[in-house]
Amino acid sequence: MEENAKSPFQAAVQPGLIIGLVSLTITYVIYFINSGLLASGWFGLVMIVLFFALIIYFGKQYRSELGGFMSFGTAFNFSFITMIISGIIGLLGQIILFQVIDPSLPEVLAEKTLESTLEMMESFGASPDSMSTEQLDEIKETTLSNFTALGQIKNFGFGLIAYAIVSLILGAILKKRDKSLDY
């Protein structure tokens, strides 16, 4: 490792900010085009793929700065910190979207989520009619609670576990050891 190379934390700040702002920009653009798309599985899948691709891109840049080699621990730390920073930006942007810009949006997304849940049940052969009104209301209320500021913060906390698991995968992808140091 070079003497004046950045620590994983220092190196992760700028990529974390960029990824957070890119994902937030895409979220807001999709919101303005058709807010119902935010509840789409395709939207979530595209965002995850983009997230992975950008972290790998920035991770390879950081590895190059380190001389072309990076340990698993360094790669894990870089990935995890990048995801935390971008996640915080996304969290703040979504709280602003759901609480300030369009407080009615959670209701729309809860309806869309309920519709897609019922469609998925039908595709698996279950009858949505078999669910009571109370069960449907409970699903909707649970979904709505995820869009409150407290619900989003709680989900971010649970998301940290997912970030750690994804960082393990990204750390394995980004690591590269210097084989010339082997005896």
Side-chain angles (χ1 to χ4, degrees), residues 48-64:
I48 289 170
V49 168
L50 180 66
F51 200 65
F52 263 93
L54 287 173
I55 291 175
I56 290 171
Y57 171 77
F58 287 119
K60 286 184 176 184
Q61 278 187 334
Y62 179 50
R63 185 174 68 197
S64 293

Side-chain angles (χ1 to χ4, degrees), residues 2 5-6 17 37 40 45 53 81 103 115 124 148 177:
E2 296 175 13
K6 296 179 196 172
L17 291 171
L37 292 174
S40 162
L45 183 63
I81 294 164
E115 288 173 18
F124 288 124
T148 65
R177 66 184 181 97

